[in-house]
Amino acid sequence: MSTLNFLAISGSLRRSSHNTGLLRAARNLAPAGVTIDLYEGLGAIPFFDQDLEGGPEPDAVADLRRRVREADGIIIATPEYNSAVPGVLVNALDWLSRPADQLVLGSKPAAILGASPSQFGTARGQLVLRQVLHRMQVPVVSHPEVTVFQSHRRFDADGCFIGDDVTESLLRTLLAELVTLVERSRPADVA
Ligand SMILES: Cc1cc2nc3c(=O)[nH]c(=O)nc-3n(C[C@H](O)[C@H](O)[C@H](O)COP(=O)(O)O)c2cc1C
């Protein structure tokens, strides 16, 4: 198997974010031949404004676009805000969805997951995210659905994953499924 690089995006800007902690945990559980880079620039992405289209791209957006283009796959961990996804995350996805005829995320395999202190563990938010990514033609791993509920019991005060067998197993399976999706999406002549 060739080396694969995944770009991990957390939808939370919070310093002790459970979702960012979940991505750090996933990075530590990556299978052989897979590296995971944690994207930390979400807070620097300006509000999308359609009047800016066609002009010079803001540096933060150009950086995100380049990193997405260079990645073999994307992992997005989203909090659930008001049964949906945080505005900062949708804002970044709106930038990546334009120009509409050059979808940088289109055909880029992705896996989604999320953590919340509720009993539902971002199930509703992930449905919203799945719908947005579907509109952007992003192939998303469909199973397993990693909804880390009661996250306040699984992360410490600094947002570090305490560790439990079920979540770790789900993370391993999700990463393996993303590898499979990436390899299935590759043209036949690429090793
Ligand atoms: C504006 C706002 C709305 C929220 N709405 C929900 C919600 O609909 N469902 C839920 O499970 N948690 C909700 N929460 C709680 C978040 O799940 C919780 O703060 C979580 O820790 C955020 O993720 P993070 O730790 O990665 O920052 C909300 C939090 C905020 C700040």
Side-chain angles (χ1 to χ4, degrees):
M1 190 181 74
S2 57
T3 300
L4 298 178
N5 183 248
F6 297 155
L7 182 66
I9 301 172
S10 169
S12 176
L13 302 181
R14 198 165 73 86
R15 201 178 321 109
S16 304
S17 160
H18 297 170
N19 285 280
T20 307
L22 192 57
L23 290 175
R24 285 196 304 268
R27 184 174 58 188
N28 292 339
L29 295 169
V34 171
T35 59
I36 297 177
D37 287 338
L38 195 53
Y39 173 69
E40 292 176 335
L42 198 67
I45 304 278
F47 288 133
F48 177 78
D49 177 349
Q50 205 174 351
D51 285 341
L52 301 178
E53 282 190 300
E57 185 149 78
D59 289 347
V61 177
D63 176 62
L64 173 59
R65 203 182 291 280
R66 177 187 58 77
R67 293 185 65 179
V68 167
R69 192 178 296 114
E70 290 175 0
D72 296 296
I74 307 296
I75 307 170
I76 302 176
T78 186
E80 180 173 288
Y81 278 7
N82 299 309
S83 303
V85 289
V88 286
L89 178 58
V90 174
N91 182 55
L93 293 174
D94 286 343
W95 275 107
L96 295 176
S97 73
R98 306 292 288 186
D101 60 348
Q102 295 167 37
L103 284 173
V104 68
L105 259 178
S107 304
K108 185 76 68 175
I112 66 174
L113 68 169
S116 112
S118 80
Q119 297 293 343
F120 304 108
T122 72
R124 295 166 299 197
Q126 287 191 49
L127 279 178
V128 174
L129 178 58
R130 208 171 273 279
Q131 181 176 311
V132 172
L133 294 173
H134 178 73
R135 177 66 176 82
M136 295 169 68
Q137 300 174 36
V138 179
V140 180
V141 170
S142 57
H143 186 83
E145 292 180 83
V146 182
T147 52
V148 180
F149 58 95
Q150 294 197 339
S151 57
H152 55 295
R153 298 180 190 275
R154 302 174 202 274
F155 294 84
D156 67 18
D158 296 322
C160 293
F161 181 55
I162 294 167
D164 68 83
D165 291 347
V166 172
T167 305
E168 287 175 22
S169 170
L170 283 169
L171 289 174
R172 282 198 182 90
T173 307
L174 186 75
L175 293 171
E177 289 296 321
L178 181 56
V179 169
T180 301
L181 189 58
V182 168
E183 291 182 340
R184 213 186 289 142
S185 307
R186 285 187 157 181
D189 58 339
V190 177

